[in-house]
Every structure is written in structure tokens, then in C-alpha cells.
Amino acid sequence: MLVLWDIDRTLVYVGETDRAVYREAFRQVVGRDAVKLPERGTGRTMPLAVRELLTANDVDRQDLEPFAERIVALLPKLLAARTEQLRAGGLVMPGATAALAAVDARPDLIPTVVTGNLQQNAEIKLGAFSLDQYVDLAVGGFASDDSSHRPALVGIAQRRAGARYETTFDRSNTVIIGDSLEDVRTGAEGGARVIAVASGTTTADQLTEAGADRVLESLRDPQAVLRAVVELTARRE
């Protein structure tokens, strides 16, 4: 069974670090300060957030794509330079380490990530809090794989994991664990069941109404996380 973890506000909270990186990248590329920043906690991919940043700050249409490409290329370097700020201003979400460890300890579960982060940014964030040891990042799905359509990342992760572990993964044996409406949509459209965690900016009721298969208030009970994964991936006749 394939378990696809979201990162931001599900496993870690990075405080103001991402926003500081967006500000710095915008300043370096555009040559002025950004007045408006991307909305928090939406789950959208980083490249889409960059385009939103440029549009919201009145960058000329002809400059949008070249500027977006340059900013996206800068993001991993700027985040890596702020690793200490990431640790100091961020935190591991309650229960995340124990939940990750519990999933990783099960030989029938393959944990990785599906995230709106670029792959390098995902590695930096998880590594900063020593959480990368609990997931197989080689088979994840990242915004650097498909920046515009996050549900496509599910299929990318399923194919990578299938090739590595010689198993076919589809909706019947794939679960996403995430905190946002975008995580719910990603599972519904991408081909995975969804365990939503009300640890971000979206309430449990909103996650339920959006169609999450299970909703947890937090990751504090690793056995509850495991039960939800197993129940959702149990083969149905």
C-alpha cells in the first residue's frame, strides 16, 4: 500500500521562511519589493504560487513566464540558505514524527510524499527536521514534476513506486494524508483515497464536505492513522 504524505501544515510548519524566500526571490528577479504574497495554506504548487505572486504584484504579462522560471529556479537555493531559520522558526506538527515512524515501520506500507513543493524544497524541509528518514523520496510526486496540475502527481508517484517495488498502485491501494482542500482534490482526481488532517487552515467540517474519506483532528494518535490507512486500502470485492 502506498502512503502519500503532504508536507506543509501536515508534517511541518515552516513559519515565515517560505514567505521570506518568495520575497527575496521576487526582489532579485523583478528588482523591487513584493507588496502582496501568496495566500497561506492553500496546497497549491510552488510554481503556481509564483505566478500568483507575479500577477498580484502587477508584473507585466510579457514578463510573467520568464520571471516565473527564474524565481522557481532560485527557490531551492534561497531555502537552503535559510535552513537554520527554518529550524528556528518552524516546527514539526503534533504527532507527525510518531505517525511517520508508525507508517514506516509497517512492511506492507510504502511511505513517500505528494507535495506542492519542488523536490529540492521538500528534501530541505523534511531534512531540516530529520523526517526524511521515514519516507522514500525517490518515489514521490513533486511540483517540479508537474507544476500546474497537482492531481497528476499521484500517478507519477504510483508509477515510480510501482517500478521500484514491482507492484501496481491505484486508488484501491493508495492513500494521501494531507491538510488542505487541494489535498482532497488531488486524491479525488488523481486516484487515491484521502485522510484529511485538520491541522492547517481548513476545518474538519470543510474537509469532510470536500469529500475526504477520513478526517482526523491531528496526527497525535499514530494507531488511528494506521487504522485509517488500512481500512481505506482494504480490498473490496
Side-chain angles (χ1 to χ4, degrees):
M1 295 177 281
L2 186 62
V3 181
L4 306 174
W5 290 95
D6 173 56
I7 295 177
D8 291 299
R9 296 178 185 262
T10 300
L11 298 178
V12 301
Y13 172 65
V14 301
E16 290 297 314
T17 305
D18 267 344
R19 295 169 79 77
V21 166
Y22 282 129
R23 285 192 190 95
E24 185 175 351
F26 185 93
R27 188 182 306 115
Q28 286 191 28
V29 171
V30 181
R32 56 182 169 87
D33 289 335
V35 176
K36 299 177 182 178
L37 292 175
E39 187 179 350
R40 298 173 186 266
T42 61
R44 66 172 54 87
T45 65
M46 281 186 163
L48 287 181
V50 166
R51 288 168 175 81
E52 176 191 317
L53 172 69
L54 292 168
T55 300
N57 287 278
D58 300 319
V59 170
D60 290 342
R61 184 183 299 273
Q62 64 185 16
D63 293 325
L64 281 178
E65 286 309 310
F67 281 3
E69 290 178 9
R70 289 170 60 188
I71 289 176
V72 168
L74 270 176
L75 293 178
K77 177 182 177 181
L78 296 179
L79 182 63
R82 293 175 180 268
T83 301
E84 288 307 315
Q85 177 184 339
L86 191 63
R87 293 193 185 100
L91 54 85
V92 176
M93 297 301 291
T97 302
L100 279 164
V103 170
D104 185 43
R106 285 277 300 251
D108 57 333
L109 301 181
I110 298 167
T112 185
V113 300
V114 158
T115 175
N117 285 277
L118 306 172
Q119 182 167 355
Q120 287 175 278
N121 289 59
E123 292 169 352
I124 291 165
K125 288 179 180 181
L126 294 176
F129 297 101
S130 300
L131 300 180
D132 51 340
Q133 63 185 301
Y134 301 114
V135 290
D136 184 352
L137 290 171
V139 299
F142 307 90
S144 35
D145 296 315
D146 189 318
S147 64
S148 61
H149 189 57
R150 192 171 174 191
L153 304 183
V154 175
I156 290 170
Q158 288 171 330
R159 290 189 292 275
R160 285 175 174 162
R164 186 179 182 94
Y165 294 98
E166 299 181 340
T167 301
T168 298
F169 293 104
D170 55 26
R171 189 183 299 275
S172 71
N173 59 358
T174 305
V175 172
I176 289 177
I177 304 177
D179 69 281
S180 71
L181 295 178
E182 186 65 17
D183 293 313
V184 179
R185 183 178 81 92
T186 295
E189 296 182 15
R193 298 188 181 276
V194 180
I195 298 171
V197 187
S199 54
T201 59
T202 309
T203 67
D205 286 344
Q206 289 172 324
L207 292 166
T208 300
E209 290 171 7
D213 297 287
R214 294 285 189 282
V215 177
L216 304 175
E217 289 295 334
S218 74
L219 298 175
R220 285 186 172 92
D221 184 349
Q223 294 309 309
V225 176
L226 282 176
R227 282 196 301 273
V229 170
V230 172
E231 288 170 5
L232 290 176
T233 54
R235 289 287 182 180
R236 292 166 172 77
E237 298 299 330

